[in-house]
Structures are given as structure tokens and as C-alpha cells.
Amino acid sequence: LFGKEAILEYVDVLSGGPAWDIVRDRDRIEMVWLRPDRGLAKRLLHDPGWNVVFRDKGSILFREGDTRRVARR
């Protein structure tokens, strides 16, 4: 389905590595839905350009830009 490079890029993005910046810009990503234990979730929690839209025990939904509400369950 996917080549080795695509899989390595995917793993790097999920871990919050430098591939995230490339993929975010290339694919114009504005929302990200992750498990809270992923490296990218930890990175986005500390990035002032990303805001939490929804959070529960199993996932966090981030949106780029200014978001005033946070839904919790």
C-alpha cells in the first residue's frame, strides 16, 4: 500500500518529529485527532498555534488557530 518512506514519515509525524512541520504545511492540516500519549499530542499541547477543541481519556482534538471552547467528556 505505502512505501517505506511514507511509513517512516507517518511514524515521525505521530511522534512529533520534524516531518510534522513538512506534512502540516504540505497537506494544509488544520485539525488533528490523536491519542493523548502520542508525541505529536504532547508537542501540540505546548504549541501556542494549536488549541484543544475536545478532550477525553482516549483522544484529543486539536485545531489550528484561535478556539475559545473546549468540550470535555
Side-chain angles (χ1 to χ4, degrees):
L1 293 172
F2 297 102
K4 180 180 177 182
E5 294 211 13
I7 293 169
L8 292 174
E9 179 182 69
Y10 174 77
V11 170
D12 190 55
V13 167
L14 282 181
S15 69
W20 161 246
D21 299 309
I22 295 165
V23 171
R24 179 200 61 218
D25 295 342
R26 179 188 71 205
D27 298 342
R28 299 179 186 158
I29 295 173
E30 296 176 355
M31 296 186 89
V32 179
W33 191 17
L34 298 162
R35 290 189 344 215
D37 62 341
R38 298 290 186 189
L40 181 56
K42 294 172 185 173
R43 178 176 172 179
L44 295 179
L45 282 170
H46 297 289
D47 186 330
W50 288 85
N51 299 287
V52 175
V53 176
F54 174 85
R55 178 188 297 203
D56 65 13
K57 291 180 183 179
S59 65
I60 302 177
L61 178 63
F62 294 92
R63 182 175 178 184
E64 186 177 27
D66 186 22
T67 304
R68 305 275 181 208
R69 311 188 298 209
V70 176
R72 292 181 186 254
R73 284 194 178 173

